[in-house]
Amino acid sequence: MPRMRDAVNRSLAEKLASRKAGICLYGFAPPKQATPPEQLERIVAQQLARFGSLAVDGLIVYDIQDEAERVAAPRPFPFLPTLNPDVYAHDHLGSLAVPKIVYRCVNRDTPDRFIGWLNSGTEPRISVLVGAPSRRSQVGLPLTDAYALAQQHSSNILLGGIAIAERHARTLDEHKRILAKTEMGCRFFVTQAVYDVTSTKSLLSDYALAVAETSGMPLPIILTFSPCGSVKTLSFMKWLGVAVPRWLENELQFARDPLAKSLELSERIFLEIRDYAHDKGIPLGVNVESVSIRREEIEASVELLQSLRRRIERSE
Amino acid sequence: MPRMRDAVNRSLAEKLASRKAGICLYGFAPPKQATPPEQLERIVAQQLARFGSLAVDGLIVYDIQDEAERVAAPRPFPFLPTLNPDVYAHDHLGSLAVPKIVYRCVNRDTPDRFIGWLNSGTEPRISVLVGAPSRRSQVGLPLTDAYALAQQHSSNILLGGIAIAERHARTLDEHKRILAKTEMGCRFFVTQAVYDVTSTKSLLSDYALAVAETSGMPLPIILTFSPCGSVKTLSFMKWLGVAVPRWLENELQFARDPLAKSLELSERIFLEIRDYAHDKGIPLGVNVESVSIRREEIEASVELLQSLRRRIERSE
């Protein structure tokens, strides 16, 4: 159904390209490669139903890397390869009339393979390119090479990039990476799960100042929120590199209902950063994800998305 | 006038000892030792007038150390020795019927000199003991020895301690230092200037959890606020070890009126931490100081104190 897909993705691509504030996305990883066919069918049917009724501007389909090279600590959940996010988004969920942003880890690409992917469709696509999880694990295509190839070979992909506030807290140069990725074709940015208001505000502050210096316009920054219902999920998020302030970790750990607490805290974090971004003229969006496969955490992520969307609509 | 001083200090000592929330203090350093007599007279007259009309529960008179050993960077303002804070508080400002908390750097004491000081008055005194600014500069009496001597030799001094949220952010054990200082006789704690909400909330969170574990009661934590009207004052605060989040530094640096901005931000920080401390059952107080000697920064600090006091009164 290339025609329908075309029209569907265009709506989100236009919102992103026109720097619209308040974009709402829902992020998830494809099922594991090892999922038996009947189970996969059930998951697809469930997701078609869940996402079909979701009031979102688009879905984000992640491309999951192992990332074990990034940190010495053992991964709290085992890494199991997932289905190709492109295939999952456009084939398995192809009948879903919701725009999709597909992540692609170029670390696993060769130049030829990446060019093949760039040329593999004619309809407008939206994609976020992801580099190697650490400098040590750099084996495939470097991210900058991928951006350069995308600019040479394709005009039908709207590209986004990743923005990591935690990196900014350490090096104070993440806004420069955002500007460099903008030069290389990115039109929007998605953060990691936000639990640390301070580093996120600091990144937005430096970004807004840097954009003002060049007389440019800030691009949409999509803040990711990730409900956390257990100590294990929390430790997984921390393993993934998400900064969780000590007080907030305590709140989650000692809450009677950690999941409800994490929704409450996520909403507060969103409101504080939204006000700040609004003052700075940065179009802010949200992406709610669930890093866990526990049913209640998935349901909580849908609930959070809906309440953030209501907050956004009320302020429009 | 020992009788009057007695009654005056007792009011604050009772509030602190009974763990009263909402205590309002004003902190300042004594004039430089090198101040010519006529100028000193003028300063004393000014301060008697200013502090006499100030609606506060008490004054804090700092004991200023050089602290040059603590950091490699040059001190933004030159260090000039100040008058002895005890002498300044109780002699120069002796006629002022306002309770006084006098800081004492025990780093400059010998055991004998410190015991002499402990026994030097009969009236109730309130004092905060300060240790060496860094381990390298440990030359005089160690802080733990000073607390032990205070417990042995004096019963008329209510002792407080310093609590440093910035240290907690690095080592996550400042709450243990607070508990250890409580064991050694401290009945309240005063922070450095608070510009970093996160580390302060994290310290309060760990402190509240640790106190709950021992079935104890949290002691008053006095948050210090320090208006900042210039890049130089900002750099001095950072030099003193105050953590200033990047976004907040940007706000101050690029504000049309940095001083007004710093008051606005300080009020917001206070409100956020007050709500948090209230939830945790921690009696919070405030201390407004001016680290600079610029007239407008001093006036702003008085203004901030008044507006924080109104906030506190409104919530009582």
Side-chain angles (χ1 to χ4, degrees):
Chain A
M1 289 171 285
R3 287 240 135 253
M4 194 191 80
R5 204 190 299 170
D6 183 295
V8 165
N9 272 348
R10 185 158 291 150
S11 64
L12 177 57
E14 279 166 5
K15 284 177 196 162
L16 288 166
S18 65
R19 308 174 42 259
K20 196 175 175 303
I23 289 171
C24 287
L25 305 171
Y26 185 83
F28 63 99
K32 313 293 176 210
Q33 277 175 19
T35 314
E38 327 77 70
Q39 201 190 327
L40 180 60
E41 239 173 78
R42 265 205 311 281
I43 293 174
V44 170
Q46 268 173 7
Q47 293 196 332
L48 287 173
R50 184 183 293 134
F51 301 146
S53 64
L54 210 58
V56 280
D57 298 299
L59 300 173
I60 287 182
V61 187
Y62 292 126
D63 193 4
I64 306 293
Q65 308 184 65
D66 187 353
E67 304 197 30
E69 308 96 335
R70 200 174 40 78
V71 274
R75 202 180 200 273
F77 292 105
F79 172 72
L80 296 168
T82 57
L83 293 172
N84 178 313
D86 233 355
V87 173
Y88 191 71
H90 296 138
D91 292 348
H92 294 85
L93 302 185
S95 64
L96 201 63
V98 180
K100 287 145 200 145
I101 298 174
V102 176
Y103 273 43
R104 186 172 185 95
C105 297
V106 298
N107 194 36
R108 286 187 297 230
D109 272 319
T110 59
D112 281 350
R113 210 178 144 220
F114 185 69
I115 292 166
W117 174 75
L118 288 172
N119 296 326
S120 65
T122 53
E123 74 286 5
R125 288 182 292 168
I126 314 172
S127 194
V128 168
L129 303 185
V130 182
S134 85
R135 279 186 201 150
R136 275 164 310 201
S137 53
Q138 179 95 43
V139 287
L141 193 61
L143 192 53
T144 47
D145 292 8
Y147 284 125
L149 288 172
Q151 284 190 314
Q152 286 162 37
H153 288 268
S154 182
S155 57
N156 71 337
I157 302 188
L158 185 84
L159 286 181
I162 282 178
I164 300 182
E166 284 83 352
R167 196 155 55 190
H168 194 66
R170 286 193 304 275
T171 60
L172 291 178
D173 66 357
E174 188 67 5
H175 61 298
K176 291 181 189 161
R177 288 171 203 248
I178 293 181
L179 293 179
K181 287 178 182 175
T182 303
E183 281 285 306
M184 293 187 284
C186 286
R187 290 295 164 261
F188 66 96
F189 294 88
V190 185
T191 70
Q192 297 193 117
V194 177
Y195 273 105
D196 183 11
V197 169
T198 303
S199 65
T200 306
K201 281 171 81 170
S202 291
L203 174 57
L204 296 183
S205 171
D206 279 325
Y207 177 52
L209 286 170
V211 166
E213 244 175 53
T214 62
S215 316
M217 300 289 266
L219 298 179
I221 307 283
I222 313 289
L223 300 182
T224 295
F225 293 95
S226 193
C228 173
S230 72
V231 171
K232 191 153 184 189
T233 302
L234 184 67
S235 70
F236 184 44
M237 288 202 304
K238 286 171 71 181
W239 187 89
L240 287 170
V242 174
V244 182
R246 172 66 162 207
W247 71 266
L248 205 148
E249 194 176 337
N250 287 342
E251 293 297 308
L252 293 177
Q253 202 168 344
F254 295 98
R256 242 176 273 170
D257 183 347
L259 199 51
K261 190 69 172 177
S262 86
L263 298 199
E264 177 201 322
L265 290 168
S266 292
E267 270 202 63
R268 273 208 251 169
I269 290 169
F270 165 70
L271 292 175
E272 181 173 349
I273 301 177
R274 182 197 59 182
D275 290 348
Y276 190 74
H278 185 262
D279 284 352
K280 305 292 161 202
I282 297 172
L284 211 70
V286 297
N287 164 43
V288 181
E289 65 175 15
S290 174
V291 297
S292 116
I293 53 163
R294 292 171 55 211
R295 170 176 288 276
E296 57 273 39
E297 287 186 309
I298 294 172
E299 284 169 359
S301 64
V302 172
E303 192 189 315
L304 178 60
L305 179 66
Q306 285 163 340
S307 70
L308 294 184
R309 190 175 184 95
R310 280 193 299 271
R311 295 276 190 184
I312 288 169
E313 284 168 353
R314 242 180 282 161
S315 68
E316 266 168 2
Chain B
M1 290 169 285
R3 288 240 135 254
M4 192 192 80
R5 205 191 299 171
D6 184 293
V8 166
N9 272 347
R10 184 158 288 149
S11 65
L12 176 57
E14 279 166 5
K15 284 177 196 161
L16 289 165
S18 64
R19 305 174 46 259
K20 197 175 173 305
I23 288 171
C24 288
L25 305 171
Y26 185 82
F28 63 99
K32 311 295 176 211
Q33 278 175 20
T35 313
E38 326 77 68
Q39 200 191 330
L40 180 59
E41 238 174 79
R42 266 205 311 280
I43 295 174
V44 169
Q46 267 173 7
Q47 293 197 333
L48 286 173
R50 183 183 295 132
F51 300 147
S53 64
L54 211 58
V56 280
D57 298 299
L59 299 174
I60 287 182
V61 187
Y62 292 126
D63 193 3
I64 305 294
Q65 308 184 64
D66 187 355
E67 302 197 31
E69 306 96 336
R70 199 173 42 78
V71 273
R75 200 180 202 273
F77 293 104
F79 172 72
L80 295 169
T82 57
L83 292 173
N84 178 313
D86 232 356
V87 172
Y88 191 72
H90 296 136
D91 291 346
H92 293 84
L93 302 185
S95 65
L96 201 63
V98 180
K100 286 146 200 145
I101 298 175
V102 176
Y103 273 44
R104 186 173 183 94
C105 296
V106 298
N107 194 36
R108 286 189 294 232
D109 272 319
T110 60
D112 281 349
R113 207 176 145 225
F114 185 70
I115 293 167
W117 174 74
L118 288 172
N119 295 327
S120 65
T122 52
E123 76 284 5
R125 287 183 292 169
I126 313 173
S127 195
V128 168
L129 304 185
V130 183
S134 87
R135 278 184 201 151
R136 275 165 308 201
S137 52
Q138 180 93 46
V139 287
L141 192 63
L143 193 54
T144 47
D145 293 7
Y147 284 125
L149 288 173
Q151 285 190 313
Q152 286 163 37
H153 288 268
S154 180
S155 58
N156 70 338
I157 301 189
L158 185 83
L159 285 181
I162 282 177
I164 299 181
E166 284 83 351
R167 194 154 57 190
H168 195 65
R170 288 193 302 275
T171 60
L172 291 179
D173 65 358
E174 188 68 5
H175 61 299
K176 291 181 190 162
R177 286 170 204 249
I178 292 181
L179 294 179
K181 286 178 182 175
T182 303
E183 281 284 307
M184 292 188 284
C186 285
R187 289 296 163 260
F188 67 97
F189 293 89
V190 184
T191 70
Q192 296 192 120
V194 177
Y195 273 105
D196 183 12
V197 169
T198 304
S199 65
T200 306
K201 281 170 81 171
S202 291
L203 174 57
L204 296 183
S205 172
D206 279 323
Y207 177 53
L209 286 170
V211 166
E213 244 175 52
T214 62
S215 316
M217 301 289 264
L219 298 180
I221 307 283
I222 312 289
L223 300 183
T224 295
F225 293 95
S226 193
C228 174
S230 73
V231 171
K232 191 152 187 191
T233 302
L234 184 67
S235 70
F236 184 44
M237 288 202 302
K238 287 171 70 183
W239 187 89
L240 287 170
V242 173
V244 182
R246 173 65 164 207
W247 71 267
L248 205 148
E249 194 176 335
N250 288 342
E251 293 296 309
L252 292 178
Q253 204 169 342
F254 295 98
R256 241 177 274 169
D257 182 346
L259 198 51
K261 191 67 169 178
S262 86
L263 297 201
E264 178 202 323
L265 291 168
S266 292
E267 269 203 65
R268 273 208 253 168
I269 291 169
F270 166 69
L271 292 176
E272 181 172 351
I273 301 176
R274 183 196 58 181
D275 290 348
Y276 190 75
H278 185 262
D279 285 352
K280 304 294 160 198
I282 297 172
L284 212 69
V286 297
N287 165 43
V288 180
E289 65 175 15
S290 175
V291 296
S292 116
I293 53 162
R294 291 173 55 214
R295 170 175 289 276
E296 57 272 40
E297 288 186 308
I298 294 173
E299 284 169 0
S301 65
V302 170
E303 192 189 316
L304 178 60
L305 179 66
Q306 285 164 339
S307 72
L308 294 183
R309 190 175 185 98
R310 280 192 299 272
R311 296 276 191 186
I312 288 169
E313 284 168 352
R314 241 179 284 160
S315 69
E316 267 169 359

